[in-house]
Amino acid sequence: MSSGQPLLHRDVETAAMREALSRVRAGGPSVLLIQGARGMGKTTLLNAALAARGEVGALLLMARGHPTERDHPFGVVRQLFEPLMTAGRAPPSGGSAVVGPDLGGGLDRGHPVTPDLLHGLYRATRSFTGDRPLIIAVDDVHHTDPQSSQWCSYIARRLDGLPIAMVLTTAGADSGGPDDLVRDLAALPYTRLLRPAPLCAQCAARLMESVLGGGRETGEEIGEDVAAACHRLTQGNPLLLRELAGRLGRSGVRPVTGELPRVLEIGALALTETALGWLSGSGSGVDAAGVDLLRSLAIVAPEDGMEVASMIAGHGQDTARAAGETLRRAGLVTGTPPDRFAHPRIQQAVLAGMDPGERDRLHRRTAALLYRLGAPLRRSARHLMSAGPTGDPLTVTVLREAAGEAAARHSWQDATGYLHRALAESDDQDTVLEVTAELGAVEKHRDLPACLRHLRTAYGRVRTAPHALMSLAPFADILVTANSAEAAEVFAGAAESAAAAPQFGGADLLLVFAAQALLWGRSAGRLGLRRLGRSLGTLVSPAAREFLSVLALATGARGRSLPRTLAQTRRCLDGQGPVPAAAVLPLVWGDRLDEASYWAERLVSETQEAGSGTGLALALLTRAEVRYQLGSLEAGLADAEAAVASARECQAEGFHVAAAACAARVLVEFGDLEAAESALKSVAPYGDWHPLISGQALDALGRLRLAQGRPRDGLLTLLECGRRLTAAGITNPACVPWGTNSILAYVLSGERSAARIVAERELELARAWGAPTVVARALSAGSLAHEGRVRLDMLHEAVALLGSRGARLEHARALLRLGIAQRQAGDDGKAHETLALALRLAADCGAGRLAALADKHRAATAPARVATLTPGQDDHVLTVGERRVTDLVLRGMSNLEVATTLSISKRTVDTHLARIYRKLGIHTRAELAVILTGLSDDDPPAAEPVPTGPHEYL
């Protein structure tokens, strides 16, 4: 028994069909009712039964129901008998009146179904069995017209003693077919009801192999995991498996493990297109509702399920529940209740097959519904972003609100996308200006050039409509202004407009704009001073705190009054609201490093929580400066490098330059001049950013040139730095130490008299400012321009001032210079002690260059010592790691070179050496050489002369 297609997993059904044919051959009746879902192989089983009719020599009457012919009376009966009538074969006897050449007038469309008519058809059918058995086959009987269905039931109940077999296929019991007919036939004693089951996994694999032409005999077998996945996807439906395999073959995708994702994509697409074809063409109201529901679910999934989808489709709960079950049986959705797609590709396939206009309409309807339901705004926004622009004011409202919600979550990219779309939705000038301002407030955290472009747009509108001045407020931030001179000019103009027309913004708006103008030293900044007046005692507003922080920065940059600067700074750091970014540097300049460190940590923590890329770059840059001044060089370098990364990401060029300069300063202290050069080459020192940033970059470059032994280049760079800072009104030596660095440059260039002039000026400025560390730095650097007692006195004062300030790096530098000066004065004992302190401090800071210089000079001033250990004794005192360090030290390597050779940090080398010196009771490398080589006190090694030129004072 074969139909030309493999009958897999159908042993029970095949046996039943053989039994039915045997009964017909023996002269008895049989009814086979094959019931199942679409694609389960009902027609295949029917064809298999018909293929075996030759074994019994039966006459075949064949018909097929179709949804479009349900309104054609006796349409299936006509299909059964017309082929015989056309061929001129009339019934042997009786019934000719009914089934004549035109099937008689009894089957006319308008003729009622009467018992006589049905009995006449029955007699005609019975007459065909005179000389051989008869097989009546009707495929898809659930699609027959009511009259033909009534005839099937009538004749099936009257087959006793007749060699007639009826083979009928019908949809599942829950498909909406003619239940009366199925019930009537199932009650007959000679009826066999067959319900073909889904294929098992093994049979599914064999079916796919037969379609693909593979298998053990002819080629590659389908992979087990691929077969199992396809079986799960299709739920063992033979038609879907055959369609899937055919598409795999046509696409050239091999059914192997490596291609499983692609196989599933093709399978999901095949399932979707086939099932939608079934549902669309069935003519069933439930199936049509299922199509609507599936499309709506494709729109709302995965965030929403069938409940929202049914509301979008416009169906009630009962219809939606029935349609959902239809979709579940088709394998398109899953879950209990079914509310999600069985495979993600199904959703994609459904969306791809929808009309674009209909898809947009459903997205907009979903967005409006979710907005009314109070769902999270991002869900409504997602649907609006998926639909095309319509200019609907509600769309603009939802997108703006969603952008605000996203900004509150620090999802800057989402907020930017919503606002871009809102701009495309509206032509109203006021709305466009408001959205542009909101967009600038978002983009300043992630894309500074875009923020500046929107600022230009907004300012162009404000110049013609002063009442829109408020739209500039979101842009007024140090994050923007510090990176753009153009922004400073815009806010200076805005401050003047706000002062002239207070009705458009009020006092706080004036303070917001005046703060940005004051940052660049613009005269419009004074308008904020007049606004504050005597209100500092009741300062509460964020705008006032922001203005006061910038005022403290500007006051400090001019070196006017340290007490006033600190008072302004502490006033805006009142614990109310976020830490103003401009408030930390005045504390650094004012020598309040502990306070600065606390607030810098707070600033970094707040900006990390806020998720602002630009804000984080500034916060890290600020903390890097604090850590550099404290002498925490490794931590400072880490912050500077992180600031570089953040600034690059948000394209804040000014902050990038400042961070690279800070990193270069640290690298110079490490002695890694090549890395410092690379850091500064990655940026340009001149640009549209704040002059303080350019000053830091030029100062770092000048210092690098001095360390490289290029004093003339360094001097020219430092003088240019000073010129630019002075032109900007930044005269405080605490801000950028270009003046003290230029003293060394003049000395190295042989211009000692010029160095003295600069030294006097720097010391005067430092004392006018009054911060001890700044005064000490001026004294320390200025000492290089002097000799003898003057030099020693200046260095002693510098060391005394630095003793308790926390500026460890500057303290180590001053001690190194004092030790060298003491040695030059012939006081080796004091020099040795001073240099030991310098070495310890430099090592603690990680300043390899200073530490190496201090170590070299200390070794030259060490007193001769008697070896306290005999050769070999140190092997029992020193650990293996310490011995490795000493071996390299005795070869003449510096601590940094030892660290590189052993792949450890320089700080670890410093710790090893300190422990070794303590164990052996020594203080210098020369003493270490004496002990470890077993030299006696009678034959000490001669100390090499140590140069003490100006380059030694770096």
Side-chain angles (χ1 to χ4, degrees), residues 399-461:
L399 289 171
R400 291 177 66 181
E401 291 181 12
E405 188 181 81
R409 300 193 312 269
H410 317 312
S411 299
W412 309 117
Q413 185 171 355
D414 289 344
T416 301
Y418 298 154
L419 292 172
H420 280 163
R421 178 58 184 277
L423 283 176
E425 289 281 353
S426 178
D427 292 327
D428 180 73
Q429 291 300 311
D430 290 336
T431 301
V432 168
L433 184 60
E434 292 171 3
V435 175
T436 300
E438 293 167 7
L439 191 55
V442 169
E443 288 186 327
K444 71 183 178 185
H445 297 291
R446 61 180 294 271
D447 187 349
L448 206 52
C451 175
L452 291 170
R453 289 193 295 271
H454 290 302
L455 174 60
R456 294 186 198 105
T457 300
Y459 188 55
R461 168 71 171 157

Side-chain angles (χ1 to χ4, degrees), residues 886-904:
T886 58
D887 289 344
L888 296 175
V889 166
L890 291 178
R891 295 181 194 173
M893 289 189 181
S894 68
N895 290 13
L896 189 60
E897 291 170 332
V898 172
T900 302
T901 302
L902 296 179
S903 299
I904 58 178

